Amino acid sequence: MKENGHITLTLSSGAVASTDERGRKSLRRAWNQLPRCQRNLIILGVTAFCVTVLLCLTGDQLIAASIKDVEEKAIASPYQLRREIPLQNPHHHPDKDKDLIAAAAAATPSALDRRLPNPNPEPADDKFDGNIAYGEANSAENVVRVPDTPAVALPALLDKTVDNDGSIDILNNVEEPIERLPIEQLDEREQLNEAIRSPLHLGGISIKRHLKKIQPLLAKGQHFHGATNERQSAVVAAFKHSWAGYQKYAWGHDNLKPVSQFSHEWFGLGLTIVDALDTMYIMGLDEEFKEARDWVDLSLRFSTKRDVNLFEVTIRVLGGLLSAYHLSGDTMFLSKSAELGNRLLPAFLSPSGIPYSDVNLGDLSAHSPKWSPDSSTSEVTTIQLEFRDLSRSTNISIYENVVNKVNEKVHELDKTDGLVPIFINANTGTFRNYATISLGARGDSYYEYLLKQWIQTGRNDNDNLILDYMQAIDGVLTKLMRRTPREHWVYIGELINGKDFKPKMDHLTCYLPGTLILGHQNGMPDSHLILARDLLDTCYQTYMQHPTHLAAEISYFALTDKEEHDIYVKPNDAHNLLRPEFIESLYYFYAITGNRTYQDMGWTIFQAFETHAKVNAGYTSLGNVRNTQNTRMRDLMESFWLSETLKYFYLLFSDNRKEIDLDQWVFNSEGHPLPVYPPKT
């Protein structure tokens, strides 16, 4: 060993010979004289060299095998493209197919290979973002996924892969060398599975191509004039103030935190943008609408592996996209709606057909909520307007079919004078025993959607929807309605365990006066109108009896005259979330009667929001409506402030009470107007 630490090994020719014992000993002795660290380094180097050699040899063999496989597939491809059995569908173009078949049959393998990369490809229907961070896979026990089903061996690939310009859609043909049965020939369960497997398709072809096929059926768009008076202009200013804060501090996120000037994420779907689209369009805010429209087109993605709530995403995102489509006539919104609708369908793969509450849009799975085996009754029965409209808009029936089955299932269940418990099990399809009955949280919009579905589908006589609605309102009158002992305020209580009356009414229940007068306008009895008027007065009092003139989330009512107040609020229930339900009811009363008193009532409440909820970056929910000096800002601006509360204020203050004609439009539970359809013959 030299002083500098380097080693010189001299091996004579005899040392190489296997018979020279002395050479082997000399080599072994020299090796043993090396420090252990140097011996380890030499061993590591030799090992790395050997592994590299092996990998190079294996790679060469794999490359050769791949080239051979590609050559074999290229030779076979003309046979795969040959059509023996033409498959007919509603959007079939036989002349173009004949030309393409002839060209494919005559093509040599090399000529066919040159055709595959289309030199002028049409932009993909869905622009995938490789930078999306995917969440953890769902590990809930009740997760269901669409089953893999074998393809039907029919060599008719051209029906699905040849686009209108003659190019072949390679992206949508990966790992699908043989054609499935046409979508219209599949049974309902298979159609459901097919829609889930191919969320970027409608009717077996790409969404964009399908919408081109049904061009004459697409919406034409509506025109609005913008604000026409000072009150409407004040609402527009409130919207623009809210929007500016969201743009600056939370753009692309679900909600704004206007006090801390930060964003709040829930589902990662830009809820505020999508929820506000139709409000901006109705208000005539063209610049803001275009900016939001471009974000939806370029940035809204549904492929992230993240659980979302079926109900919330349906009423806010699907409803918002469909409404924006119908009002603007922009088919981009319908394309997004169709993809989202497909990705929500796994919820309906439950044993009973009652949908699971949670859906993973990315991995296309669904499960019950993690906190309970049951779904909320209002949630599974407040998706029908949107899914039905998606079917009517795309001419694809599967969406309407799955929600109609939910209607049928719930219709068959036993009820208490038409009233339903607030929980239902997706696996068994039955209500939870002894669950609370309420027209507030988890029960409210079941009753709302019975009436609105009936209106949406053309007001058919003897429809189970309207029969169930009428029976339910009778149950409200006999089981849930009470009056306070002194002021005789009418309120709607709850049945705890399905039987014990509790004098508690959520602010959510203040949607009911509007629903009742809408029903009366469509032929319901006068008793509904009387209840609507009485309940509207009570809801107004839940605002006026607080110094802020804002309502609490929950109000309680006196059962006897021994209690100090007829209406009171408990400390934990004194918050206000900028909710829209009472403003919605005021709007219905004004739109139907034309009485401007309802406008004045709404203006008082709007000014209260301006006074107590407005901050530098938007409007915030409040923690305490009972103290003007200590409202305890909760630092959240919910998306429904823009989609519902401000929209209903704007329409309430309109000089034209038919700015949205209630004979032609029906609002979903998030304030998104959808068209009324004629009855099916």
Side-chain angles (χ1 to χ4, degrees):
M1 181 179 293
K2 295 184 179 181
E3 292 180 359
N4 60 7
H6 293 285
I7 309 301
T8 301
L9 296 178
T10 303
L11 301 178
S12 66
S13 59
V16 180
S18 60
T19 58
D20 194 334
E21 187 67 24
R22 185 195 301 178
R24 286 200 300 271
K25 290 181 179 179
S26 176
L27 182 61
R28 187 181 302 113
R29 187 165 46 253
W31 173 258
N32 291 333
Q33 288 175 352
L34 292 176
R36 179 176 299 176
C37 63
Q38 291 186 350
R39 283 183 292 180
N40 291 341
L41 287 174
I42 293 171
I43 294 171
L44 182 62
V46 172
T47 303
F49 175 77
C50 294
V51 171
T52 302
V53 171
L54 289 174
L55 288 176
C56 290
L57 291 174
T58 305
D60 291 340
Q61 294 172 354
L62 290 174
I63 292 171
S66 299
I67 293 173
K68 181 178 179 182
D69 184 62
V70 169
E71 291 174 348
E72 291 175 352
K73 288 183 178 179
I75 295 172
S77 57
Y79 172 78
Q80 292 173 349
L81 289 170
R82 189 177 301 120
R83 287 186 57 181
E84 304 281 339
I85 307 172
L87 298 179
Q88 299 297 324
N89 62 65
H91 315 299
H92 182 59
H93 290 273
D95 294 334
K96 175 173 276 192
D97 283 355
K98 289 177 182 177
D99 295 339
L100 291 169
I101 296 165
T108 63
S110 59
L112 184 62
D113 290 342
R114 287 194 297 271
R115 284 186 57 203
L116 292 178
N118 183 6
N120 298 299
E122 187 176 5
D125 292 334
D126 183 70
K127 304 174 183 66
F128 294 98
D129 183 355
N131 295 323
I132 291 176
Y134 290 96
E136 295 291 333
N138 197 302
S139 60
E141 293 182 0
N142 286 330
V143 172
V144 295
R145 290 180 172 83
V146 60
D148 294 327
T149 56
V152 180
L154 294 174
L157 185 60
L158 280 178
D159 270 354
K160 293 189 71 169
T161 59
V162 181
D163 212 335
N164 291 337
D165 60 359
S167 63
I168 297 179
D169 185 357
I170 301 174
L171 290 177
N172 291 323
N173 190 38
V174 174
E175 297 181 359
E176 196 172 356
I178 50 180
E179 171 85 2
R180 301 181 189 276
L181 278 174
I183 196 74
E184 64 271 15
Q185 294 184 20
L186 301 176
D187 64 31
E188 188 171 307
R189 188 71 173 193
E190 290 171 336
Q191 288 185 37
L192 175 60
N193 291 337
E194 183 65 26
I196 297 170
R197 270 193 300 267
S198 305
L200 301 180
H201 287 70
L202 284 176
I205 59 177
S206 71
I207 294 173
K208 181 180 290 186
R209 288 176 59 203
H210 177 80
L211 296 185
K212 288 179 181 178
K213 301 284 188 180
I214 63 169
Q215 183 69 36
L217 304 177
L218 299 179
K220 306 302 181 186
Q222 306 293 314
H223 177 70
F224 295 89
H225 298 285
T228 59
N229 58 58
E230 290 185 5
R231 287 181 175 181
Q232 273 197 319
S233 296
V235 177
V236 172
F239 182 96
K240 294 179 76 171
H241 179 69
S242 304
W243 187 252
Y246 173 78
Q247 280 183 308
K248 186 173 183 179
Y249 300 110
W251 183 252
H253 297 280
D254 286 335
N255 297 307
L256 167 69
K257 301 181 74 173
V259 178
S260 60
Q261 298 178 349
F262 202 68
S263 63
H264 172 266
E265 209 70 294
W266 191 7
F267 302 134
L269 296 174
L271 290 182
T272 293
I273 296 176
V274 182
D275 235 356
L277 284 165
D278 54 3
T279 304
M280 289 183 281
Y281 195 85
I282 291 169
M283 290 181 174
L285 299 176
D286 297 338
E287 182 178 337
E288 290 85 351
F289 179 81
K290 183 182 183 303
E291 184 177 25
R293 184 260 180 219
D294 290 344
W295 183 88
V296 171
D297 184 25
L298 301 175
S299 301
L300 180 59
R301 295 289 174 268
F302 301 126
S303 53
T304 302
K305 293 184 178 180
R306 182 173 186 168
D307 278 1
V308 301
N309 179 269
L310 170 68
F311 160 73
E312 295 288 358
V313 170
T314 296
I315 65 170
R316 298 185 193 221
V317 185
L318 183 57
L321 292 171
L322 287 170
S323 181
Y325 157 69
H326 287 295
L327 295 178
S328 70
D330 189 336
T331 57
M332 181 277 294
F333 295 119
L334 183 56
S335 295
K336 292 285 186 179
S337 300
E339 181 192 347
L340 177 58
N342 286 339
R343 292 184 181 275
L344 291 172
L345 287 175
F348 297 92
L349 293 175
S350 69
S352 69
I354 297 295
Y356 291 116
S357 67
D358 293 1
V359 185
N360 191 303
L361 299 179
D363 69 13
L364 302 174
S365 63
H367 59 87
S368 299
K370 295 178 180 178
W371 49 269
S372 167
D374 300 328
S375 300
S376 298
T377 302
S378 63
E379 292 189 357
V380 305
T381 55
T382 311
I383 54 180
Q384 282 75 2
L385 288 180
E386 298 81 3
F387 275 79
R388 182 179 294 107
D389 185 78
L390 182 57
S391 276
R392 303 292 177 96
S393 298
T394 61
N395 205 29
I396 298 294
S397 63
I398 186 61
Y399 315 107
E400 184 168 6
N401 291 344
V402 293
V403 294
N404 280 345
K405 286 188 176 297
V406 178
N407 284 343
E408 293 167 4
K409 185 72 176 178
V410 175
H411 169 72
E412 294 169 356
L413 296 176
D414 291 335
K415 305 174 182 67
T416 302
D417 292 348
L419 305 175
V420 296
I422 61 174
F423 291 111
I424 188 169
N425 190 288
N427 291 311
T428 64
T430 58
F431 292 126
R432 182 191 293 181
N433 292 331
Y434 308 110
T436 294
I437 291 175
S438 172
L439 268 70
R442 305 189 186 281
D444 50 355
S445 47
Y446 161 72
Y447 307 96
E448 174 192 1
Y449 267 40
L450 287 176
L451 176 69
K452 289 183 174 180
Q453 286 186 78
W454 176 70
I455 293 173
Q456 181 192 38
T457 53
R459 306 170 179 86
N460 294 295
D461 294 336
N462 298 318
D463 190 318
N464 285 335
L465 291 167
I466 198 60
L467 297 177
D468 286 351
Y469 173 77
M470 294 178 69
Q471 185 184 19
I473 301 305
D474 287 344
V476 170
L477 290 167
T478 59
K479 297 287 187 181
L480 301 180
M481 192 197 82
R482 296 285 193 281
R483 291 181 182 271
T484 60
R486 287 180 291 268
E487 301 295 332
H488 307 295
W489 300 119
V490 169
Y491 65 96
I492 307 299
E494 299 179 348
L495 294 180
I496 306 303
N497 299 323
K499 57 182 180 179
D500 299 325
F501 183 81
K502 184 176 184 179
K504 165 183 172 289
M505 188 172 81
D506 296 351
H507 182 274
L508 289 168
T509 308
C510 287
Y511 83 91
L512 187 57
T515 298
L516 288 167
I517 195 171
L518 179 64
H520 183 265
Q521 179 73 5
N522 285 277
M524 297 298 102
D526 289 345
S527 59
H528 292 202
L529 179 61
I530 295 170
L531 176 58
R533 288 172 174 165
D534 289 343
L535 191 57
L536 189 80
D537 289 341
T538 302
C539 287
Y540 188 55
Q541 289 303 313
T542 65
Y543 283 79
M544 293 302 102
Q545 292 196 11
H546 299 299
T548 58
H549 286 176
L550 293 174
E553 181 72 359
I554 299 172
S555 295
Y556 287 83
F557 300 83
L559 287 173
T560 69
D561 56 11
K562 294 180 180 180
E563 297 177 71
E564 183 177 358
H565 301 288
D566 273 18
I567 304 175
Y568 61 97
V569 173
K570 296 180 179 180
N572 290 338
D573 303 323
H575 49 285
N576 181 290
L577 304 181
L578 311 177
R579 286 200 184 276
E581 286 76 21
F582 179 60
I583 311 306
E584 174 186 359
S585 286
L586 286 176
Y587 160 68
Y588 279 114
F589 267 77
Y590 167 67
I592 290 172
T593 69
N595 188 336
R596 294 187 179 272
T597 299
Y598 304 115
Q599 292 182 317
D600 295 336
M601 295 164 69
W603 182 246
T604 299
I605 296 170
F606 177 77
Q607 290 179 309
F609 280 123
E610 287 286 297
T611 300
H612 300 290
K614 187 175 183 179
V615 294
N616 289 337
Y619 291 78
T620 181
S621 52
L622 303 173
N624 181 18
V625 299
R626 302 185 301 170
N627 188 336
T628 58
Q629 304 303 313
N630 183 25
T631 57
R632 299 204 306 267
M633 295 180 178
R634 291 166 64 101
D635 194 18
L636 186 63
M637 188 176 78
E638 292 272 7
S639 67
F640 55 65
W641 167 251
L642 300 175
S643 71
E644 295 187 80
T645 311
L646 290 179
K647 182 189 285 121
Y648 285 128
F649 271 131
Y650 180 83
L651 294 174
L652 171 63
F653 300 144
S654 177
D655 295 323
N656 176 15
R657 59 192 177 98
K658 290 194 174 184
E659 190 156 354
I660 299 290
D661 189 342
L662 295 177
D663 291 329
Q664 300 180 28
W665 298 87
V666 60
F667 286 90
N668 86 334
S669 194
E670 190 73 5
H672 298 304
L674 300 173
V676 171
Y677 292 94
K680 285 188 174 182
T681 55

